[in-house]
Amino acid sequence: MGRASSSDLDLLFAVIVTVGALTSAIALLVAIAALRVRRTMRERRFARRAVAWRAAFHEAVDDPARARLPPIAHVDLPHFLSLWNHFQESLRGAAAEQLAQLLRDHGIDRRVVELLEKRSLRLRLIAITALGHLQEERAWNTLEVLARGPNPVLSFAAARALLRIEPRRALDLLARDLVLRADWSIARVGSILLELGPALVTAPLLRMLVAPPVEGLERLVKLARFGHREKVSAAVREWLATSTDPQVIGAALDCAEDAADLPHARGAARHAHWRVRMAAARALGRIGGSRELALLLTLLRDPTWWVRYHAAQALSQLHGLTQEELLGLRDHVRDAFAADMLDHVMAERKLA
């Protein structure tokens, strides 16, 4: 009797566990389905509202007096601003200002300032980008603190916003950071300087080229190309003549665009460091002529693959060298590595 009762209890326990597991699995599936339905409904709602937002954006650019925004709910504000930021990235001048005025007319600029205080990194980045496009002076002090902060993503976004709000003031404030902060991608910094234009960036670049920081010289020389060429070339040429740092010399050679730089490029072709010889090959192909043919053929036999590759590229674009002459060089070079590299580059040109 006791055994039967024990077996019954074990069976009952097993049934309860099984039912509980099935119930939990069903509840989980229902929850997942509910989340998917909710997400789908939210996406559809956002898509419907985005149509109205886009229409208002186009109206603001085409006919500002008639542009009207529907009410923007608190939950929709980040989505709205993301879309607005995307539109602003493609606009310049009066069109960008008219789109910014649309937000001011509806009081959204004040809401963006408040959004800057959120803890979410995503929300803060959306707000920072929008404040830059709005050229919102009220956010200057907060953005300045963020631009000096340790977070590379947040600090760079804040720096870019400051440069959009008041470029000259921001350049005076951030010029050294643009050069010294290695955690800010030099490609992205270059895109900012390109957007600002040589008229704004030349003076601060020149001041740093003449009195350079202890660190970041390679980045500084690379960024010099975004200034007025005729104004920064003398300073860059000075770096070519005096620097012993291979990275700096290579960066300066990449900025060389004038025949006056040819003596430095010729000398660099014999440098001990392969990166300098590689940069010299690029410079010789860009600004050299038939006189540089012998030197490039020497670089074509360099022990380093990258030097040979850029020497072959330089030969393929050398001013005064025809396609037939290039093919003739291929047939007469005695070095197998040099011949293979010329074949490689000529095949690349055909594919391009």
Side-chain angles (χ1 to χ4, degrees):
M1 188 73 176
R3 291 176 185 172
S5 296
S6 177
S7 298
D8 291 343
L9 287 173
D10 289 343
L11 180 60
L12 179 62
F13 179 74
V15 170
I16 291 172
V17 170
T18 302
V19 170
L22 286 173
T23 304
S24 298
I26 292 170
L28 180 60
L29 290 173
V30 169
I32 291 172
L35 286 172
R36 287 181 176 175
V37 169
R38 184 181 176 187
R39 184 178 64 183
T40 301
M41 291 177 63
R42 186 170 61 244
E43 289 174 351
R44 288 177 180 174
R45 185 190 65 181
F46 170 66
R48 288 194 301 270
R49 295 185 180 183
V51 170
W53 298 341
R54 289 190 181 94
F57 296 162
H58 288 296
E59 194 78 62
V61 173
D62 298 333
D63 190 358
R66 295 180 56 188
R68 293 291 182 273
L69 271 175
I72 309 298
H74 176 75
V75 70
D76 289 331
L77 184 60
H79 301 292
F80 169 81
L81 289 174
S82 294
L83 185 62
W84 185 82
N85 285 335
H86 178 73
F87 263 71
Q88 276 285 19
E89 293 291 342
S90 63
L91 299 176
R92 296 290 182 274
E97 174 55 29
Q98 286 162 198
L99 194 57
Q101 190 60 45
L102 177 68
L103 267 62
R104 299 188 195 104
D105 291 342
H106 290 76
I108 295 175
D109 55 329
R110 295 189 297 273
R111 296 172 65 183
V112 178
V113 175
E114 294 169 1
L115 197 63
L116 192 59
E117 303 302 323
K118 299 293 183 180
R119 289 189 176 184
S120 165
L121 177 62
R122 171 180 167 269
L123 294 182
R124 296 177 85 187
L125 287 172
I126 291 171
I128 288 168
T129 304
L131 290 168
H133 288 306
L134 284 165
Q135 299 182 328
E136 183 53 72
E137 285 278 358
R138 287 173 295 180
W140 183 276
N141 291 337
T142 304
L143 290 172
E144 184 176 338
V145 172
L146 291 173
R148 294 287 171 77
N151 186 308
V153 176
L154 207 61
S155 60
F156 183 82
R160 185 160 202 166
L162 290 171
L163 287 161
R164 283 172 170 161
I165 293 170
E166 198 173 331
R168 292 186 187 278
R169 179 183 172 192
L171 274 173
D172 289 339
L173 179 72
L174 298 169
R176 294 182 69 84
D177 294 285
L178 294 174
V179 170
L180 295 176
R181 287 200 62 155
D183 57 348
W184 290 359
S185 161
I186 193 165
R188 300 192 70 189
V189 172
S191 72
I192 290 179
L193 299 184
L194 184 64
E195 182 180 321
L196 293 173
L200 282 173
V201 306
T202 299
L205 284 173
L206 267 177
R207 285 195 295 269
M208 296 189 72
L209 283 166
V210 173
V214 176
E215 300 177 355
L217 298 181
E218 179 189 1
R219 284 172 62 94
L220 174 59
V221 175
K222 286 181 177 179
L223 293 173
R225 71 184 66 182
F226 295 99
H228 282 299
R229 182 73 62 182
E230 62 276 12
K231 293 183 179 180
V232 302
S233 58
V236 172
R237 202 168 290 133
E238 181 69 19
W239 282 107
L240 274 174
T242 60
S243 179
T244 58
D245 186 332
Q247 303 292 341
V248 175
I249 299 171
L253 285 167
D254 285 338
C255 292
E257 295 286 350
D258 193 282
D261 298 315
L262 274 172
H264 298 295
R266 293 180 188 126
R270 301 176 178 84
H271 198 278
H273 200 289
W274 70 268
R275 289 186 181 274
V276 176
R277 299 196 302 275
M278 178 179 69
R282 288 197 295 260
L284 290 170
R286 193 169 57 251
I287 61 177
S290 55
R291 288 183 59 188
E292 279 60 59
L293 180 59
L295 194 50
L296 284 171
L297 287 173
T298 300
L299 291 172
L300 193 62
R301 298 190 296 273
D302 194 274
T304 302
W305 189 93
W306 283 109
V307 178
R308 297 198 303 274
Y309 175 74
H310 285 281
Q313 288 279 8
L315 285 167
S316 71
Q317 64 187 30
L318 192 65
H319 180 70
L321 188 67
T322 66
Q323 182 72 15
E324 291 73 20
E325 290 171 327
L326 185 62
L327 290 170
L329 288 175
R330 160 65 185 85
D331 293 336
H332 289 89
V333 288
R334 298 180 180 178
D335 187 283
F337 290 115
D340 287 345
M341 188 57 72
L342 278 175
D343 281 340
H344 179 80
V345 167
M346 286 190 288
E348 281 186 346
R349 293 188 69 185
K350 287 179 182 177
L351 289 173

